[in-house]
Amino acid sequence: GQNIDQPTEMTATEGAIVQINCTYQTSGFNGLFWYQQHAGEAPTFLSYNVLDGLEEKGRFSSFLSRSKGYSYLLLKELQMKDSASYLCAVGSTDSWGKLQFGAGTQVVVTP
Amino acid sequence: DGGITQSPKYLFRKEGQNVTLSCEQNLNHDAMYWYRQDPGQGLRLIYYSQIVNDFQKGDIAEGYSVSREKKESFPLTVTSAQKNPTAFYLCASSISGQGISPLHFGNGTRLTVT
């Protein structure tokens, strides 16, 4: 099975940086996804990591360490519209197509 | 524009009634999925389908049924056997049933059963 842990909530100020950590335990690791979900809306894809290291996409970056079972999503230059839930999801070759999702981290951006 | 359409957005039913949630995609994706989302919990997989006329149970399939007669459509029926059906239901699709590719989600259906 898979175990995915991420903090429940984080608060940060507009313009600041926030780092959302995700730890996982899985066999047959096959990639890690980050999704953003605004309240009552569909999750939208942010990033995918399958190899160790940092992937940068504008204000958002995602890091993976497979040996540590650890990933983080870094949000820079926070904007009010970044207030949302951020979902970490892990894929495994043991369970095709069955991504295991964490409970999500609610990020609250304050003025 | 390509995307996934779920309907209706809100649905209310009485206990003991079956209800079917619609999911249609025009992305030409092979794989489709149904997830359930409850407060404080991660998305949980109900059913998934890699190709037309084939589908598999996810982690919480009891009390649900699906069909995949067309590539574009993957309706979910919540039966009266589902003990706690009130939830937010999300349909998703991905390009291929092989390997890992990003999920594209519909806007969800919020089902309330009283």
Side-chain angles (χ1 to χ4, degrees):
Chain A
Q2 295 161 317
N3 232 7
I4 301 179
D5 288 311
Q6 49 181 132
T8 303
E9 185 171 314
M10 303 182 75
T11 301
T13 308
E14 201 173 6
I17 297 173
V18 70
Q19 178 175 314
I20 307 168
N21 296 326
C22 173
T23 57
Y24 64 88
Q25 293 174 315
T26 187
S27 56
F29 175 81
N30 196 28
L32 186 144
F33 291 86
W34 284 98
Y35 288 85
Q36 179 192 61
Q37 186 180 23
H38 286 99
E41 296 183 10
T44 55
F45 168 72
L46 290 178
S47 68
Y48 172 61
N49 295 71
V50 65
L51 299 176
D52 290 349
L54 188 67
E55 295 278 343
E56 296 190 78
K57 271 189 188 180
R59 293 189 300 114
F60 293 2
S61 304
S62 57
F63 171 83
L64 175 68
S65 168
R66 288 171 295 171
S67 63
K68 295 182 180 175
Y70 168 69
S71 172
Y72 68 71
L73 180 68
L74 195 69
L75 315 182
K76 294 181 269 191
E77 300 168 23
L78 277 174
Q79 301 175 8
M80 297 300 291
K81 67 179 181 180
D82 297 331
S83 291
S85 183
Y86 291 85
L87 313 177
C88 173
V90 174
S92 167
T93 54
D94 292 349
S95 54
W96 177 94
K98 292 169 68 173
L99 284 183
Q100 190 74 22
F101 280 83
T105 298
Q106 185 66 43
V107 170
V108 177
V109 181
T110 59
Chain B
D1 285 338
I4 300 180
T5 302
Q6 288 186 244
S7 60
K9 190 171 175 68
Y10 298 96
L11 192 53
F12 298 88
R13 280 295 182 269
K14 294 287 188 189
E15 207 173 293
Q17 293 178 333
N18 291 356
V19 59
T20 298
L21 280 57
S22 168
C23 177
E24 303 280 330
Q25 56 102 355
N26 60 4
L27 298 167
N28 200 32
H29 285 175
D30 284 323
M32 296 187 76
Y33 313 79
W34 274 105
Y35 285 91
R36 171 182 171 137
Q37 189 172 36
D38 295 282
Q41 296 193 41
L43 299 179
R44 292 183 291 167
L45 184 65
I46 304 172
Y47 268 98
Y48 63 101
S49 168
Q50 300 179 51
I51 54 172
V52 176
N53 292 322
D54 184 61
F55 51 82
Q56 280 82 41
K57 293 181 180 179
D59 298 319
I60 55 164
E62 186 174 348
Y64 299 99
S65 65
V66 293
S67 62
R68 186 88 188 275
E69 296 174 4
K70 297 186 300 182
K71 188 175 186 178
E72 305 80 29
S73 179
F74 192 41
L76 174 75
T77 297
V78 184
T79 74
S80 55
Q82 169 47 233
K83 290 182 172 47
N84 188 17
T86 294
F88 188 48
Y89 290 88
L90 285 161
C91 179
S93 69
S94 62
I95 288 174
S96 170
Q98 303 294 325
I100 297 287
S101 53
L103 296 176
H104 296 256
F105 287 89
N107 283 330
T109 293
R110 190 166 296 280
L111 173 65
T112 303
V113 177
T114 56

